[in-house]
Amino acid sequence: MEKLSRKLARAIVPPLAAALIRLTRWTMRLSWVGRERVDALRAQRRPYIHAFWHGHLFMMPYSYLGDRIAIMISAHHDGELIARTMKRFGHEAIRGSSTSGGAVALRAAVRALRGGADVGFTPDGPRGPRHRAQMGAVAAARLSGAPIVPVVFAASRRKVMRSWDGFIVPMPFSRGVFVYGEPIEVPASAGAAQLESARLLLEQRLSDLTRRAGTLATRAADAVAGMGTHHV
């Protein structure tokens, strides 16, 4: 019975989730702050690690501005639903995480980066703790030479789910903003202390950017309200 329910979920949930994401995005007005950082890497044809909090996943298909990305997604059942949903946006999946299949997934991520693809990481996934970066993205950066670009999302009106990651679902017709931080370089020669410093830096930048994005989304909505305009 459980296998049947999972098969049904895999057939039904991804198309519905993708449709909901697209519909929500169609009603929203989005902005991209700091995108010149990823544009510069693209101009250099330099793959990078697209790092974002797990709770920001809903709108992240629209944060990626490149041509090819493979997203690190856990190997459990929920991860399968996410992978199938992301596939509908043209995003590939690398299955595995820090808790399951980590070494194999890390090698796959490094191969993808060396092959010219960008790779998406949720540093606090798949099970948290929330907003506490783990080492996976940093290890991939050291082994591949690719920089880490922290990326966050905020919406002026949103529903925060009662999940471990505080999953954010923006409300229709809200204002949304993506903010990209300074790339983080991790030398191939980095030892344990340098790796830990890079992990802490990634965590801090994502946290700082999250606060900034929230402020920007609120200001954008207030400015629109003050002008008496409406998004169509």
Side-chain angles (χ1 to χ4, degrees):
M1 191 68 179
E2 182 182 356
K3 288 184 178 180
L4 178 60
S5 65
R6 288 193 173 191
K7 285 183 179 179
L8 287 172
R10 290 173 180 178
I12 295 170
V13 172
L16 290 179
L20 178 60
I21 293 168
R22 288 191 172 99
L23 179 61
T24 303
R25 188 269 173 270
W26 182 77
T27 70
M28 295 181 70
R29 186 166 294 171
L30 298 177
S31 58
W32 293 259
V33 177
R35 64 170 291 170
E36 66 276 1
R37 288 163 177 152
V38 291
D39 288 342
L41 293 172
R42 291 180 64 199
Q44 299 168 26
R45 298 185 180 276
R46 189 179 182 194
Y48 76 96
I49 294 169
H50 195 80
F52 54 92
W53 292 135
H54 197 277
H56 295 188
L57 182 62
F58 186 89
M59 289 300 292
M60 278 297 152
Y62 298 104
S63 72
Y64 180 64
L65 305 171
D67 302 316
R68 180 188 170 204
I69 188 169
I71 302 176
M72 184 80 75
I73 299 173
S74 65
H76 58 67
H77 172 63
D78 290 347
E80 179 66 22
L81 300 180
I82 294 171
R84 293 186 181 209
T85 301
M86 293 297 103
K87 185 177 181 180
R88 291 175 175 271
F89 293 90
H91 299 343
E92 302 170 30
I94 296 171
R95 305 304 303 277
S97 67
S98 59
T99 57
S100 176
V104 173
L106 178 60
R107 288 195 294 269
V110 172
R111 284 197 301 271
L113 290 161
R114 290 175 176 171
D118 302 314
V119 171
F121 271 85
T122 54
D124 59 344
R127 296 294 185 184
R130 177 187 179 190
H131 293 184
R132 289 289 302 276
Q134 299 173 29
M135 194 61 78
V138 173
R142 181 179 71 85
L143 292 169
S144 66
I148 306 170
V149 178
V151 186
V152 303
F153 171 76
S156 58
R157 292 186 300 110
R158 64 205 176 277
K159 172 71 173 178
V160 180
M161 308 302 288
R162 293 182 178 178
S163 54
W164 71 263
D165 58 354
F167 195 80
I168 296 172
V169 179
M171 295 292 99
F173 303 101
S174 59
R175 304 280 298 205
V177 59
F178 298 104
V179 184
Y180 305 79
E182 289 283 349
I184 298 169
E185 303 278 358
V186 183
S189 60
Q194 283 180 289
L195 292 173
E196 176 62 8
S197 293
R199 186 194 70 78
L200 289 172
L201 178 59
L202 173 60
E203 186 175 290
Q204 186 62 55
R205 286 195 180 167
L206 280 168
S207 296
D208 292 345
L209 290 169
T210 298
R211 288 189 290 270
R212 184 186 176 199
T215 299
L216 290 172
T218 300
R219 285 178 180 173
D222 290 345
V224 170
M227 292 186 294
T229 60
H230 300 277
H231 173 56
V232 178

